[in-house]
Amino acid sequence: MIKKIKVGVNGFGVIGKRVADAVTLQDDMELVGVSDVVTDWRIKMAAHKGYSVYSSNPEAKEQMTKAGLEIMGTLEDLLKKVDVIVDATPKGIGAKNKLLYDQQKVKSIFQGGEKHELTGFSFVAQANYKEALGRDFVRCVSCNTTGLTRIVHALHQNGLVKKVRAVLFRRGTDPWESHKNGLINTVVPEKDIPSHQGPDVKTILPDLEITTIAASGPFNLSHLHTIFVELNRIVTKEEIVAIYRQTPRVVMIKKSEGLEGLNSTIELMRDLERPRNDMWEVALWEDILAVDGKELMMVYQVHNESIVIPENIDAIRAITSLETDARASIAKTDHSLGIVSNFL
Amino acid sequence: MIKKIKVGVNGFGVIGKRVADAVTLQDDMELVGVSDVVTDWRIKMAAHKGYSVYSSNPEAKEQMTKAGLEIMGTLEDLLKKVDVIVDATPKGIGAKNKLLYDQQKVKSIFQGGEKHELTGFSFVAQANYKEALGRDFVRCVSCNTTGLTRIVHALHQNGLVKKVRAVLFRRGTDPWESHKNGLINTVVPEKDIPSHQGPDVKTILPDLEITTIAASGPFNLSHLHTIFVELNRIVTKEEIVAIYRQTPRVVMIKKSEGLEGLNSTIELMRDLERPRNDMWEVALWEDILAVDGKELMMVYQVHNESIVIPENIDAIRAITSLETDARASIAKTDHSLGIVSNFL
């Protein structure tokens, strides 16, 4: 029998609830429990699914109990029972939690909202799995950085990239909080160029020349990236397409097959009956992709809510050395979640 | 007394109505009349403003008369009375109309929806006014191409540009037709890379290295462009800002002064009590603008409805040789419309 790694999830939000679900699909992991501070439908859904619910602090425990939830203990209690804690708390909270995780000698995985410096190591499975082996803590980078890394690493490992210039159009807000936040009829460019994703990709691929500009618009189905890659040599479109056909977690789609915009692929996910319409893969438009001499230009879609989920699962395997081969871990995760290389 | 050029406008839509208004503000032009085929509030507004209304064809004349409009004649009648006709009809219609204009020996100005080949000459005032002198027909390029040309020409004429890579986020539809068309909660990338605007800029600046990617989103206040300019030499941010301070019809704005997104500048236009909240200038974010060695990166806003209006007015002057000096025409147009070099 395979040894099962005991996993806890702190923060049952957009990422945390998906990580928890994904952990339950792994035959080499066991979800011990999830921890949060909220008292409403979100955490009640965890109880409904049969997950053991913990409170992230004692005050929250009182409130959550009052709200009718059965609380198994506090985060400290949960930490005593797990090998790995996946921290999916809001930006900045993870940094505070790390002290506790380290004290309790529990390996920890953080999300892209935390700074690279918190762990000194940022992770995208297909780019640097081996370097994550046995570490005590790693950071899964944000949705945009994960998608961007998958796309550029495929070219970079083939020695093709001179410089990457990418423009990221971010969804205005997440669907679950569209009632309170969100942009209406405007686009808001980010204050700084480069936006954080370019430098963040360099935490994974330090020798990559990359710069990014980002803006947010009034849509929440996912992000859209457009990218110019200045190559070291002249390539054909066929050569590039062949590379991406071999790239994990990148799926080619076509405008000519009616996949016109962000909404089309999400509708496809609905028809495929995926949990929460999730698209863990980067969707790359094959027929928009263009090559002009040494210049490669592409448009692709990044499903912000779900793209980092497989990375979190692989990170659990890597830091516990449960699986030392990147390909094997990726294949296992992909099989468990239903990640494909073609949607149809 | 200055000779007044007699101008007609065919098509009283988003561009046509603005050109008509702008012509009435010129002391060297006379608006003889406007022509259209619609019968509703749009053309009734022309009558309300005291403009002579013509019908673009005999069938339309009957319908428009039935709708209570006083019709002064058909387009052919209007053409007999004018020196210049500005064609602002929907994409493709202008090409058909040109035969009539040529037959009647009336100089004509077309919009960016028509192909460059229709006139063999495309126009942006500050880039190629002199070359337009005395021509029988010119094409004012589209809003995006006009904005893009203003931004890149400023650098190009200083010999700085190696290559331009731009990403254009287009508004989903125009405000007036938002009830029937428009994108909700999605982004739709264009089918082709490069999108038409890059090659279109080359109709004006043939020796410029430029490529573009475009997509449309669910907002209609204007377009947002992000641009990477690969320069021939290292520059400072100050040097670039100094160039744009000297560039006509480009205004620097700042995030730090609360101009956060497309909506902020349009709100500013409302407060400035501009007609229809129009922003004829390109709004360029000064504090987002970044220079990294030979790489210049910028974000700017293009008000699609109004940006080509000053170009149409200058085109009238150029093709009639009413004014042979570009600067003089631009200054005259800018003064008449209220175009500024600083919004506040």
Side-chain angles (χ1 to χ4, degrees):
Chain A
M1 215 193 92
I2 316 175
K3 180 201 166 191
K4 289 208 183 193
I5 288 289
K6 293 180 196 307
V7 181
V9 174
N10 187 18
F12 197 70
V14 171
I15 302 300
K17 65 186 180 184
R18 287 175 166 85
V19 170
D21 291 353
V23 167
T24 65
L25 296 174
Q26 312 306 316
D27 63 8
D28 52 357
M29 298 178 195
E30 179 195 338
L31 181 70
V32 177
V34 301
S35 180
D36 209 305
V37 295
V38 300
T39 58
D40 62 11
W41 65 273
R42 292 170 288 169
I43 192 66
K44 281 178 179 162
M45 195 68 211
H48 176 77
K49 288 195 170 192
Y51 300 163
S52 296
V53 177
Y54 292 74
S55 62
S56 299
N57 60 58
E59 302 82 60
K61 187 175 178 185
E62 202 178 315
Q63 297 297 320
M64 292 166 87
T65 306
K66 244 187 224 165
L69 284 152
E70 190 191 353
I71 302 301
M72 309 298 288
T74 62
L75 174 61
E76 293 202 39
D77 298 321
L78 175 62
L79 290 175
K80 288 191 183 105
K81 303 177 192 167
V82 300
D83 303 306
V84 178
I85 185 87
V86 179
D87 187 295
T89 57
K91 189 175 174 171
I93 308 287
K96 289 173 197 153
N97 290 337
K98 186 167 177 291
L99 297 168
L100 186 62
Y101 306 154
D102 291 352
Q103 259 172 18
Q104 302 271 347
K105 296 197 168 64
V106 173
K107 286 178 184 272
S108 51
I109 294 170
F110 300 89
Q111 308 306 315
E114 304 305 324
K115 289 194 164 65
H116 172 72
E117 290 66 33
L118 181 68
T119 61
F121 182 79
S122 296
F123 181 78
V124 170
Q126 63 210 65
N128 61 356
Y129 187 95
K130 272 228 132 47
E131 295 166 56
L133 287 175
R135 284 184 184 265
D136 286 332
F137 28 77
V138 303
R139 164 181 174 259
C140 286
V141 289
S142 73
C143 49
N144 278 313
T145 307
T146 301
L148 193 53
T149 301
R150 287 188 196 160
I151 289 292
V152 298
H153 175 63
L155 304 171
H156 190 51
Q157 69 179 354
N158 281 285
L160 285 172
V161 181
K162 185 173 170 201
K163 176 156 189 170
V164 175
R165 296 159 173 101
V167 179
L168 292 62
F169 272 70
R170 306 179 57 188
R171 55 77 178 110
T173 188
D174 282 330
W176 84 269
E177 55 183 358
S178 293
H179 61 287
K180 53 177 186 172
N181 294 313
L183 306 166
I184 300 289
N185 202 18
T186 188
V187 175
V188 180
E190 289 196 12
K191 194 168 59 52
D192 297 310
I193 296 178
S195 57
H196 78 271
Q197 298 89 359
D200 213 10
V201 168
K202 294 183 102 164
T203 64
I204 296 166
L205 309 172
D207 60 334
L208 184 76
E209 265 294 305
I210 183 166
T211 188
T212 49
I213 302 180
S216 301
F219 48 94
N220 66 12
L221 292 179
S222 53
H223 304 302
L224 185 95
H225 293 195
T226 65
I227 187 166
F228 301 87
V229 187
E230 192 177 346
L231 305 164
N232 287 321
R233 63 173 173 84
I234 290 173
V235 297
T236 62
K237 175 165 174 168
E238 291 65 38
E239 195 176 344
I240 299 297
V241 170
I243 286 173
Y244 283 116
R245 287 206 191 292
Q246 299 297 320
T247 303
R249 299 173 181 168
V250 174
V251 173
M252 310 292 271
I253 59 171
K254 285 184 181 170
K255 278 278 257 197
S256 63
E257 287 175 354
L259 295 172
E260 293 281 355
L262 301 182
N263 61 312
S264 322
T265 47
I266 298 304
E267 189 69 10
L268 180 59
M269 296 305 111
R270 295 177 68 194
D271 283 348
L272 289 171
E273 294 180 28
R274 289 198 169 188
R276 304 185 180 90
N277 320 326
D278 284 354
M279 185 170 73
W280 307 284
E281 306 89 347
V282 174
L284 173 63
W285 271 278
E286 180 177 341
D287 48 359
I288 298 180
L289 189 155
V291 170
D292 179 18
K294 292 186 180 178
E295 189 92 1
L296 166 64
M297 294 161 282
M298 301 183 283
V299 180
Y300 59 89
Q301 178 172 358
V302 169
H303 189 235
N304 48 293
E305 296 167 290
S306 65
I307 192 175
V308 302
I309 305 309
E311 257 55 35
N312 273 274
I313 298 300
D314 290 321
I316 294 171
R317 282 206 191 85
I319 63 176
T320 57
S321 300
L322 194 56
E323 173 57 70
T324 56
D325 182 56
R327 274 165 192 264
S329 177
I330 289 172
K332 194 173 175 74
T333 304
D334 289 1
H335 180 74
S336 72
L337 294 179
I339 292 177
V340 294
S341 53
N342 276 300
F343 287 135
L344 289 173
Chain B
M1 216 193 91
I2 316 177
K3 181 201 166 192
K4 289 208 182 194
I5 289 288
K6 291 179 198 309
V7 181
V9 174
N10 187 18
F12 197 70
V14 171
I15 302 300
K17 67 186 179 184
R18 287 176 167 85
V19 171
D21 291 353
V23 166
T24 66
L25 297 175
Q26 312 306 316
D27 64 8
D28 51 356
M29 298 178 196
E30 179 194 337
L31 181 71
V32 177
V34 301
S35 181
D36 209 306
V37 296
V38 300
T39 58
D40 64 10
W41 66 272
R42 291 170 290 168
I43 192 68
K44 280 177 179 161
M45 194 70 210
H48 176 77
K49 288 195 168 192
Y51 300 162
S52 297
V53 178
Y54 292 74
S55 63
S56 299
N57 61 57
E59 303 82 62
K61 187 175 176 183
E62 204 178 311
Q63 296 298 321
M64 292 167 85
T65 306
K66 243 185 225 167
L69 284 152
E70 190 190 353
I71 302 302
M72 309 298 288
T74 63
L75 175 60
E76 292 202 41
D77 299 323
L78 175 61
L79 290 174
K80 289 191 183 104
K81 302 178 194 165
V82 301
D83 303 306
V84 178
I85 186 85
V86 178
D87 188 296
T89 58
K91 188 174 175 171
I93 308 286
K96 290 172 193 152
N97 291 337
K98 184 166 177 293
L99 296 168
L100 186 64
Y101 305 154
D102 290 352
Q103 259 173 18
Q104 302 269 349
K105 297 198 167 65
V106 173
K107 285 176 185 273
S108 51
I109 294 169
F110 300 89
Q111 308 306 314
E114 305 303 325
K115 289 194 163 64
H116 173 71
E117 290 67 33
L118 182 70
T119 61
F121 182 80
S122 295
F123 180 79
V124 170
Q126 64 210 64
N128 61 358
Y129 187 95
K130 272 229 132 48
E131 295 166 56
L133 287 175
R135 285 183 184 264
D136 287 333
F137 29 77
V138 303
R139 165 182 174 259
C140 286
V141 290
S142 72
C143 49
N144 279 313
T145 308
T146 300
L148 194 50
T149 302
R150 287 187 197 160
I151 290 292
V152 297
H153 175 64
L155 304 170
H156 190 52
Q157 68 179 353
N158 282 286
L160 285 172
V161 181
K162 185 173 169 200
K163 177 156 187 172
V164 175
R165 297 157 173 103
V167 179
L168 291 63
F169 271 70
R170 306 179 57 190
R171 55 75 178 109
T173 188
D174 283 329
W176 84 270
E177 55 184 358
S178 293
H179 60 288
K180 54 175 184 175
N181 295 312
L183 306 167
I184 300 290
N185 202 18
T186 187
V187 175
V188 179
E190 288 198 11
K191 193 168 59 54
D192 298 309
I193 295 178
S195 57
H196 78 271
Q197 298 89 358
D200 213 10
V201 169
K202 293 183 104 168
T203 65
I204 296 166
L205 309 171
D207 60 334
L208 184 76
E209 267 293 307
I210 183 166
T211 189
T212 48
I213 301 179
S216 300
F219 48 93
N220 66 11
L221 292 179
S222 54
H223 303 303
L224 184 96
H225 293 195
T226 63
I227 188 167
F228 300 87
V229 187
E230 193 177 347
L231 305 164
N232 288 320
R233 62 173 173 84
I234 290 172
V235 297
T236 61
K237 175 165 175 169
E238 291 64 39
E239 195 176 343
I240 299 297
V241 169
I243 285 173
Y244 283 115
R245 288 207 191 290
Q246 298 298 319
T247 302
R249 299 172 182 168
V250 174
V251 173
M252 309 292 270
I253 59 172
K254 286 185 181 170
K255 280 277 258 197
S256 63
E257 286 175 356
L259 294 171
E260 293 281 354
L262 301 182
N263 61 313
S264 322
T265 48
I266 298 304
E267 188 70 11
L268 180 59
M269 296 307 109
R270 295 176 70 194
D271 283 347
L272 289 170
E273 294 180 29
R274 289 201 169 186
R276 304 183 181 91
N277 318 328
D278 284 353
M279 185 170 72
W280 307 283
E281 306 88 347
V282 174
L284 173 63
W285 271 278
E286 179 176 341
D287 47 1
I288 297 180
L289 189 156
V291 171
D292 179 19
K294 291 186 180 179
E295 189 93 359
L296 167 64
M297 294 160 282
M298 300 183 284
V299 180
Y300 59 90
Q301 177 173 0
V302 169
H303 190 235
N304 48 294
E305 297 168 289
S306 66
I307 191 175
V308 302
I309 304 310
E311 258 54 37
N312 272 274
I313 297 300
D314 291 321
I316 295 172
R317 283 205 190 85
I319 64 177
T320 58
S321 300
L322 194 56
E323 174 58 69
T324 56
D325 182 56
R327 276 165 191 264
S329 177
I330 289 172
K332 194 173 174 74
T333 304
D334 289 1
H335 181 74
S336 72
L337 295 179
I339 292 176
V340 295
S341 52
N342 276 300
F343 288 136
L344 290 173

